[in-house]
Amino acid sequence: MKLRTLLTTVAAGAALAVPTVAVVPPASGAPAGCTASDADIYAAPGAVTGAPGELLACRPTTLPGVPHNIRMKAWKVRYASTDVKGARIAVSGFVAVPEAPWTKGGPRPVVAFNPGTSGSGSQCALSKQMSGRYVDHYEGPNLAEFLKAGFAVAATDGVGYLDGQVHTYMVGANAGHALLDVARTSRRIPGGDLDPDGKVGIAGYSEGGAASLWGAQLAASYAPELDVAGAAAGGVPGDLRITAKALNGGLFAGFLADALVGLNAAYPEMPFDELMNDAGRKAIEDVKKNCLFGTLAAFLGARVENFSKDRLTLEQIYALRGPDGTTWGEIVDRQKLGVDIGTPSSSAKYKIGFPVFQYRGLLEEIIPHETEEATRAAYCAAGITTRWINTYPAEHLTTDWLAAGDVTRFLGDRFEGKPAQGNC
């Protein structure tokens, strides 16, 4: 298969998870109007004091990256969230509300959306790509499905897309918090007209699928005021060790490069930069300067052993300790999706009180089937109503598009209060 063909049929992510943090209810303040400049939205973060979900800045925008000329109002947003270590941070994203009236009863629902892999540099942010600054993305058709159905969309770029930052790709708590907080933020936009009591759906594929499940797992403890009706997650890399082993040295090793740099961005105290040889230092810069397809091309067939002075394997990297004695392996292992989950009446750490839809393509070639199947099995074993489809006749990227109608219908049924049928 030619490289061009390969690169146009891939988009994947892997996600780690991290422990939840204390709940801080969103503040009621918001900018008097959406008059921020584009530079304001993406400015390098300073001190952030707003409560999670507080709107820090907004500006009207258009979304030419979303097809079908859907009439909508849209805004870029900068909002407060919480990072893996409990610190308040700023995150960017966008909110879109269809102009067509919502006619299905109750307030218009919101889909909190995390994209699949965009790339690690700040230039790769979904909100920049959908508004036309740079296009290396593929989520526009999926966003259009939600908007055509009448749902508002609150899309997070994810943590690490402000000026001078690197995306913390793979870090579950960052992803889950940012996803839940953008739903909170969507209700605070002046003139946005979204009811704070409206239902929320959570959705994402690949990297976004892992973020979706972390949003689902963290919702009860981090954002209990949100009325989450359901979560949809496809192509989920639920176990990073299994995923990393499959990516290393393969056609899609760029995702592993993104993961290593993203983990370092979230855990800078852990050994990393000092381990690199010249090739490793160049690889870090390649990750930062490229978006999705550029990263895949730069790391085609790359092996992690070639980037460190001591030719460290993945297992040797996992054994390395940080200043408090924590190993990289412990950081990775505690992030596994589906661990310590349960229903609201359980004693589980992560309580999920709504249905979940998980799916993958029959010809999935990036995320190992075993980890996708294991995540679904963990949800079923925990008693969470889970719908599972693994028969889409496609590889990784195309499955994202093929499943869009089913995802939209699944969330629409939840918004209308229809009973969910699992197939565990």
Side-chain angles (χ1 to χ4, degrees):
M1 185 179 291
K2 294 181 179 180
L3 178 60
R4 177 179 294 273
T5 302
L6 284 170
L7 297 186
T8 55
T9 59
V10 296
L16 298 177
V18 283
T20 188
V21 298
V23 178
V24 181
S28 59
C34 283
T35 58
S37 67
D38 216 50
D40 293 333
I41 297 296
Y42 302 110
V48 177
T49 57
E54 183 168 335
L55 179 62
L56 302 177
C58 56
R59 65 176 276 109
T61 192
T62 58
L63 301 174
V66 178
H68 306 311
N69 296 315
I70 301 164
R71 295 181 62 84
M72 69 180 89
K73 295 186 292 184
W75 304 263
K76 289 185 177 182
V77 295
R78 179 185 177 102
Y79 63 96
S81 191
T82 310
D83 75 6
V84 62
K85 296 176 181 175
R88 200 72 70 241
I89 57 173
V91 180
S92 57
F94 67 87
V95 175
V97 181
E99 290 187 2
W102 174 253
T103 60
K104 296 186 179 180
R108 187 190 300 272
V110 175
V111 175
F113 181 78
N114 194 110
T117 302
S118 302
S120 294
S122 60
Q123 74 278 11
C124 307
L126 180 72
S127 62
K128 292 180 179 179
Q129 298 203 48
M130 289 299 103
S131 60
R133 183 182 296 188
Y134 175 80
V135 178
D136 187 6
H137 223 288
Y138 45 87
E139 295 284 22
N142 300 320
L143 296 169
E145 287 294 315
F146 297 142
L147 293 165
K148 286 190 295 183
F151 313 153
V153 170
T156 182
D157 290 335
V159 175
Y161 282 109
L162 303 182
D163 292 346
Q165 292 186 321
V166 178
H167 177 41
T168 60
Y169 187 74
M170 313 308 142
V171 181
N174 282 3
H177 293 158
L179 190 54
L180 295 166
D181 285 329
V182 78
R184 288 165 156 164
T185 303
S186 68
R187 283 84 180 275
R188 300 175 178 278
I189 298 172
D193 300 325
L194 292 176
D195 193 306
D197 295 326
K199 292 183 178 181
V200 175
I202 301 174
Y205 183 79
S206 196
E207 178 194 357
S212 178
L213 290 188
W214 275 103
Q217 293 183 181
L218 291 166
S221 59
Y222 184 74
E225 83 284 4
L226 293 181
D227 183 7
V228 180
V236 177
D239 186 320
L240 187 65
R241 285 197 189 228
I242 292 174
T243 306
K245 183 178 180 180
L247 293 175
N248 193 31
L251 298 175
F252 308 103
F255 297 126
L256 178 56
D258 277 340
L260 294 171
V261 173
L263 282 166
N264 177 58
Y267 298 93
E269 74 280 5
M270 295 293 290
F272 191 75
D273 287 341
E274 66 272 28
L275 306 175
M276 298 295 117
N277 58 21
D278 289 345
R281 286 186 284 274
K282 180 180 183 298
I284 293 171
E285 294 308 309
D286 284 340
V287 165
K288 294 177 181 179
K289 75 181 183 183
N290 284 299
C291 295
L292 172 60
F293 295 126
T295 301
L296 290 175
F299 290 93
L300 187 70
R303 295 197 64 85
V304 69
E305 294 89 335
N306 294 330
F307 298 112
S308 61
K309 289 178 286 189
D310 295 327
R311 293 187 58 81
L312 297 171
T313 65
L314 283 169
E315 291 300 325
Q316 289 172 323
I317 292 171
Y318 295 150
L320 296 174
R321 295 185 181 275
D324 67 352
T326 300
T327 67
W328 272 123
E330 288 169 335
I331 289 174
V332 169
D333 290 341
R334 75 170 69 121
Q335 320 304 333
K336 186 178 178 181
L337 280 161
V339 176
D340 206 359
I341 59 175
T343 62
S345 61
S346 73
S347 60
K349 180 177 182 179
Y350 302 116
K351 296 175 170 56
I352 303 174
F354 44 82
V356 171
F357 172 32
Q358 296 185 43
Y359 55 98
R360 69 165 174 85
L362 184 64
L363 305 177
E364 169 68 65
E365 82 286 28
I366 298 177
I367 308 302
H369 294 189
E370 61 185 295
T371 185
E372 296 179 283
E373 299 277 355
T375 301
R376 177 257 186 159
Y379 271 69
C380 288
I384 297 162
T385 300
T386 304
R387 181 184 174 193
W388 169 250
I389 296 179
N390 63 349
T391 55
Y392 293 106
E395 39 58 63
H396 188 81
L397 177 57
T398 309
T399 298
D400 188 20
W401 299 323
L402 286 182
D406 287 336
V407 169
T408 302
R409 285 185 288 274
F410 173 83
L411 293 178
D413 287 346
R414 306 291 77 75
F415 294 150
E416 294 181 39
K418 296 178 180 178
Q421 301 295 323
N423 59 353
C424 286

